[in-house]
Amino acid sequence: MNCFVIAMDKEAKPVTDRMTRIKEKQISGKRVIFGTLFNKKTAVVICGVGKVNAACGAQIAIDLLKADKIINIGVAGGLNDSVEVGKMYCISAAVQYDFDLTQLNGTQIGTLDERTENYIPLAICGKYPQRLLATGDRFNDSLADYKLLKDVLKADIRDMEGGAIAQACMHANIPCLSFKIISDAAGSGSTTKQYLSNLALCFKTLESELVNLVGR
Protein backbone atom coordinates (compact mmCIF):
# COMPACT_ATOMS: atom_id res chain seq x y z
CA MET A 1 0.00 0.00 0.00
CA ASN A 2 1.15 3.53 -0.76
CA CYS A 3 1.28 5.65 2.39
CA PHE A 4 1.53 9.42 2.35
CA VAL A 5 2.96 11.11 5.43
CA ILE A 6 1.95 14.76 5.38
CA ALA A 7 2.33 17.38 8.10
CA MET A 8 -0.86 19.44 7.86
CA ASP A 9 -4.51 18.94 6.93
CA LYS A 10 -4.33 21.70 4.32
CA GLU A 11 -1.34 20.03 2.64
CA ALA A 12 -3.16 16.70 2.64
CA LYS A 13 -6.45 18.04 1.25
CA PRO A 14 -5.41 17.94 -2.45
CA VAL A 15 -4.64 14.23 -1.93
CA THR A 16 -7.67 13.23 0.13
CA ASP A 17 -10.00 15.16 -2.20
CA ARG A 18 -8.97 12.80 -5.02
CA MET A 19 -9.38 9.63 -2.97
CA THR A 20 -12.45 7.38 -3.15
CA ARG A 21 -13.94 4.81 -0.78
CA ILE A 22 -12.64 6.83 2.15
CA LYS A 23 -12.69 5.89 5.80
CA GLU A 24 -10.87 7.56 8.66
CA LYS A 25 -9.29 6.50 11.94
CA GLN A 26 -7.32 8.04 14.78
CA ILE A 27 -4.10 6.09 15.37
CA SER A 28 -1.79 7.19 18.18
CA GLY A 29 -3.31 10.64 18.03
CA LYS A 30 -2.80 10.99 14.29
CA ARG A 31 -5.56 11.36 11.72
CA VAL A 32 -5.26 8.55 9.16
CA ILE A 33 -7.37 8.44 5.97
CA PHE A 34 -7.77 5.21 4.01
CA GLY A 35 -9.07 4.87 0.46
CA THR A 36 -8.18 4.48 -3.19
CA LEU A 37 -6.14 6.96 -5.21
CA PHE A 38 -5.83 6.45 -8.97
CA ASN A 39 -6.94 2.84 -8.49
CA LYS A 40 -4.28 2.16 -5.87
CA LYS A 41 -4.89 1.32 -2.23
CA THR A 42 -3.66 4.37 -0.33
CA ALA A 43 -3.43 5.74 3.20
CA VAL A 44 -2.63 9.26 4.31
CA VAL A 45 -1.14 9.89 7.75
CA ILE A 46 -1.49 13.52 8.81
CA CYS A 47 1.38 13.60 11.24
CA GLY A 48 1.58 17.19 12.46
CA VAL A 49 4.37 19.74 12.13
CA GLY A 50 7.95 19.01 13.15
CA LYS A 51 10.45 16.17 13.27
CA VAL A 52 9.04 14.12 16.14
CA ASN A 53 5.54 14.24 14.68
CA ALA A 54 6.95 13.28 11.29
CA ALA A 55 8.89 10.32 12.65
CA CYS A 56 5.83 9.12 14.58
CA GLY A 57 3.71 9.37 11.45
CA ALA A 58 6.27 7.45 9.40
CA GLN A 59 6.46 4.72 12.04
CA ILE A 60 2.68 4.35 12.02
CA ALA A 61 2.82 3.90 8.25
CA ILE A 62 5.66 1.39 8.52
CA ASP A 63 4.59 -0.73 11.49
CA LEU A 64 0.80 -0.52 11.55
CA LEU A 65 -0.13 0.18 7.94
CA LYS A 66 2.59 -2.05 6.43
CA ALA A 67 3.51 0.57 3.83
CA ASP A 68 5.23 -0.63 0.66
CA LYS A 69 6.62 2.87 0.29
CA ILE A 70 6.19 6.22 1.96
CA ILE A 71 5.52 9.41 0.03
CA ASN A 72 6.16 12.67 1.86
CA ILE A 73 4.79 15.82 0.27
CA GLY A 74 4.54 19.38 1.49
CA VAL A 75 5.38 23.01 0.98
CA ALA A 76 8.91 24.14 1.79
CA GLY A 77 11.29 27.06 1.63
CA GLY A 78 13.71 27.68 -1.21
CA LEU A 79 17.32 28.52 -0.37
CA ASN A 80 18.85 29.43 -3.73
CA ASP A 81 18.12 30.23 -7.36
CA SER A 82 17.93 26.55 -8.34
CA VAL A 83 14.32 26.41 -7.09
CA GLU A 84 11.27 28.48 -8.01
CA VAL A 85 8.19 29.37 -6.00
CA GLY A 86 5.22 27.21 -6.95
CA LYS A 87 7.32 24.46 -8.55
CA MET A 88 7.69 20.86 -7.37
CA TYR A 89 11.03 19.15 -6.71
CA CYS A 90 12.07 15.61 -5.89
CA ILE A 91 14.31 15.31 -2.84
CA SER A 92 17.40 13.24 -3.61
CA ALA A 93 18.79 13.35 -0.05
CA ALA A 94 17.91 14.95 3.28
CA VAL A 95 19.84 16.15 6.32
CA GLN A 96 18.71 17.34 9.76
CA TYR A 97 20.47 20.66 10.20
CA ASP A 98 19.59 21.00 13.89
CA PHE A 99 21.23 17.66 14.77
CA ASP A 100 24.81 18.30 15.86
CA LEU A 101 27.29 15.79 17.30
CA THR A 102 30.28 17.66 15.90
CA GLN A 103 31.83 18.31 19.31
CA LEU A 104 31.39 14.69 20.42
CA ASN A 105 32.11 12.70 17.25
CA GLY A 106 33.97 15.15 15.05
CA THR A 107 31.44 14.50 12.29
CA GLN A 108 29.77 17.01 9.97
CA ILE A 109 26.72 18.77 11.31
CA GLY A 110 23.59 16.71 10.69
CA THR A 111 25.41 13.37 10.86
CA LEU A 112 23.40 10.89 12.91
CA ASP A 113 25.32 8.88 15.51
CA GLU A 114 24.62 5.71 13.51
CA ARG A 115 25.99 7.16 10.26
CA THR A 116 29.23 8.52 8.86
CA GLU A 117 27.63 10.93 6.34
CA ASN A 118 25.10 13.65 7.08
CA TYR A 119 22.78 13.39 4.06
CA ILE A 120 20.39 10.40 3.87
CA PRO A 121 19.68 9.29 0.28
CA LEU A 122 16.02 8.95 -0.76
CA ALA A 123 14.28 7.12 -3.58
CA ILE A 124 14.15 9.13 -6.82
CA CYS A 125 11.35 10.05 -9.22
CA GLY A 126 12.89 11.00 -12.54
CA LYS A 127 10.11 13.37 -13.62
CA TYR A 128 11.11 16.23 -11.34
CA PRO A 129 14.38 18.11 -10.76
CA GLN A 130 16.33 16.68 -7.84
CA ARG A 131 17.33 18.87 -4.94
CA LEU A 132 18.88 18.55 -1.45
CA LEU A 133 16.65 19.07 1.59
CA ALA A 134 17.60 20.33 5.05
CA THR A 135 15.14 19.62 7.87
CA GLY A 136 14.94 21.31 11.27
CA ASP A 137 12.41 22.22 13.93
CA ARG A 138 12.53 25.90 13.03
CA PHE A 139 10.52 28.26 10.80
CA ASN A 140 12.37 31.53 10.83
CA ASP A 141 14.31 34.20 8.95
CA SER A 142 17.53 33.57 10.86
CA LEU A 143 20.61 34.70 8.96
CA ALA A 144 22.75 32.22 10.91
CA ASP A 145 20.50 29.34 9.84
CA TYR A 146 20.55 30.56 6.25
CA LYS A 147 24.34 30.65 6.16
CA LEU A 148 24.53 27.14 7.65
CA LEU A 149 22.02 25.77 5.15
CA LYS A 150 23.48 27.51 2.12
CA ASP A 151 27.22 27.65 2.75
CA VAL A 152 27.91 24.60 4.94
CA LEU A 153 25.26 22.06 4.00
CA LYS A 154 24.75 23.26 0.40
CA ALA A 155 21.02 22.59 0.74
CA ASP A 156 18.50 23.82 -1.83
CA ILE A 157 15.30 23.51 0.22
CA ARG A 158 14.37 23.58 3.91
CA ASP A 159 11.43 22.06 5.75
CA MET A 160 10.44 20.67 9.16
CA GLU A 161 9.64 16.99 8.46
CA GLY A 162 11.40 15.37 5.50
CA GLY A 163 14.70 14.45 7.13
CA ALA A 164 12.99 12.74 10.05
CA ILE A 165 10.79 10.68 7.72
CA ALA A 166 13.86 9.74 5.71
CA GLN A 167 15.58 8.53 8.91
CA ALA A 168 12.62 6.35 9.94
CA CYS A 169 12.43 4.82 6.46
CA MET A 170 16.18 4.23 6.38
CA HIS A 171 16.05 2.16 9.56
CA ALA A 172 13.02 0.19 8.32
CA ASN A 173 14.50 -0.29 4.84
CA ILE A 174 11.33 1.18 3.29
CA PRO A 175 11.56 3.32 0.12
CA CYS A 176 10.92 6.98 0.85
CA LEU A 177 9.93 9.48 -1.83
CA SER A 178 9.77 13.15 -0.92
CA PHE A 179 8.36 15.97 -3.04
CA LYS A 180 8.49 19.60 -2.01
CA ILE A 181 6.67 22.58 -3.52
CA ILE A 182 8.37 25.91 -2.92
CA SER A 183 6.26 28.39 -0.97
CA ASP A 184 8.90 30.99 -0.15
CA ALA A 185 12.38 32.02 -1.18
CA ALA A 186 15.19 33.07 1.17
CA GLY A 187 16.21 36.68 0.67
CA SER A 188 12.85 37.72 -0.82
CA GLY A 189 11.29 39.21 2.28
CA SER A 190 9.43 37.65 5.18
CA THR A 191 9.14 33.89 4.73
CA THR A 192 5.88 34.00 6.70
CA LYS A 193 4.26 36.50 4.34
CA GLN A 194 5.52 34.62 1.27
CA TYR A 195 4.31 31.31 2.68
CA LEU A 196 0.81 32.60 3.33
CA SER A 197 0.47 34.35 -0.03
CA ASN A 198 1.79 31.41 -2.08
CA LEU A 199 -0.08 28.49 -0.49
CA ALA A 200 -2.88 28.51 -3.08
CA LEU A 201 -0.33 28.34 -5.91
CA CYS A 202 1.48 25.46 -4.21
CA PHE A 203 -1.71 23.46 -3.72
CA LYS A 204 -2.68 24.03 -7.35
CA THR A 205 0.69 22.56 -8.36
CA LEU A 206 0.14 19.56 -6.11
CA GLU A 207 -3.33 18.93 -7.55
CA SER A 208 -2.00 18.91 -11.10
CA GLU A 209 1.06 16.77 -10.35
CA LEU A 210 -0.51 14.26 -7.94
CA VAL A 211 -1.04 11.51 -10.50
CA ASN A 212 2.70 11.52 -11.27
CA LEU A 213 3.58 10.88 -7.63
CA VAL A 214 1.69 7.60 -7.43
CA GLY A 215 1.37 6.49 -11.07
CA ARG A 216 -1.70 4.92 -12.63
Side-chain angles (χ1 to χ4, degrees):
M1 177 167 62
N2 289 333
C3 288
F4 286 84
V5 178
I6 304 173
M8 296 182 288
D9 286 302
K10 57 189 174 183
E11 292 176 305
K13 190 173 186 298
V15 180
T16 57
D17 281 353
R18 295 294 297 270
M19 294 171 67
T20 57
R21 290 179 281 180
I22 287 180
K23 64 178 181 178
E24 184 173 328
K25 291 182 179 180
Q26 287 283 324
I27 302 178
S28 298
K30 309 299 183 189
R31 183 180 172 217
V32 182
I33 299 98
F34 300 87
T36 301
L37 181 64
F38 303 119
N39 300 313
K40 294 188 176 183
K41 189 177 179 182
T42 301
V44 178
V45 181
I46 302 174
C47 62
V49 174
K51 296 195 323 184
V52 173
N53 276 326
C56 289
Q59 210 62 48
I60 288 169
I62 292 164
D63 287 340
L64 302 182
L65 307 183
K66 307 302 181 185
D68 297 314
K69 66 180 176 184
I70 287 178
I71 304 170
N72 168 236
I73 59 173
V75 297
L79 296 170
N80 55 46
D81 292 338
S82 77
V83 296
E84 182 180 344
V85 169
K87 300 296 185 182
M88 179 176 285
Y89 299 89
C90 174
I91 301 305
S92 59
V95 65
Q96 296 174 54
Y97 69 89
D98 57 356
F99 187 95
D100 188 358
L101 290 179
T102 301
Q103 184 171 312
L104 181 65
N105 290 347
T107 50
Q108 291 181 305
I109 192 165
T111 305
L112 304 172
D113 194 39
E114 62 269 34
R115 287 180 56 81
T116 57
E117 297 180 356
N118 55 358
Y119 272 94
I120 299 172
L122 276 69
I124 298 299
C125 172
K127 180 175 175 59
Y128 301 101
Q130 298 173 23
R131 297 293 184 267
L132 295 174
L133 174 72
T135 296
D137 277 329
R138 296 197 282 269
F139 186 106
N140 60 31
D141 290 312
S142 163
L143 182 59
D145 277 359
Y146 176 64
K147 288 180 177 180
L148 168 64
L149 295 165
K150 178 176 176 288
D151 298 334
V152 178
L153 294 173
K154 311 297 183 184
D156 306 301
I157 299 170
R158 68 182 291 185
D159 84 336
M160 297 181 67
E161 293 84 28
I165 295 170
Q167 182 181 353
C169 290
M170 174 191 73
H171 286 302
N173 198 29
I174 296 288
C176 179
L177 289 154
S178 183
F179 302 94
K180 299 297 173 180
I181 308 159
I182 305 304
S183 60
D184 53 88
S188 299
S190 166
T191 54
T192 302
K193 289 180 180 179
Q194 291 182 71
Y195 167 83
L196 293 173
S197 64
N198 291 325
L199 275 180
L201 172 62
C202 292
F203 295 154
K204 184 176 180 180
T205 298
L206 176 54
E207 289 169 1
S208 65
E209 298 295 337
L210 184 57
V211 65
N212 298 314
L213 307 190
V214 297
R216 287 197 184 273

